[in-house]
């Protein structure tokens, strides 16, 4: 679990869940979206980038702004 000013991120056994606070919306990311693995064991948010770690390594997603 990680939180930043615009999002709450939740690692699961079936992808990465993002809760966008400003839209009160959940978005789920999977391997087809760029994750190295469907299992997300750890998440870390820093300076507009999200790091998601799983069995196959670490994926990094960077957003132009936190509301995207």
């Amino acid at each position: 679990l990680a939180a930043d000013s615009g999002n709450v991120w939740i690692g699961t056994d079936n992808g990465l869940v993002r809760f966008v606070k400003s839209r009160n919306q959940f978005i789920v990311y999977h391997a087809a979206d760029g994750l190295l693995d469907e299992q997300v064991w750890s998440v870390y948010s820093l300076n507009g980038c999200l790091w998601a770690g799983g069995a196959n390594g670490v994926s990094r997603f960077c957003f132009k702004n936190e509301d995207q």
Side-chain angles (χ1 to χ4, degrees):
L1 179 69
D4 54 43
S5 62
N7 307 285
V8 176
W9 303 91
I10 305 164
T12 74
D13 286 341
N14 191 27
L16 174 68
V17 178
R18 176 186 184 193
F19 177 71
V20 183
K21 296 175 187 177
S22 65
R23 292 183 272 180
N24 204 30
Q25 175 187 24
F26 287 94
I27 303 169
V28 181
Y29 299 95
H30 295 280
D33 300 307
L35 286 174
L36 292 177
D37 194 294
E38 289 293 317
Q39 293 182 338
V40 178
W41 297 339
S42 60
V43 290
Y44 182 71
S45 178
L46 179 66
N47 297 330
C49 290
L50 187 280
W51 300 80
N56 292 325
V58 177
S59 303
R60 182 179 78 158
F61 299 93
C62 292
F63 301 89
K64 290 181 183 174
N65 66 56
E66 295 178 8
D67 196 32
Q68 290 186 335

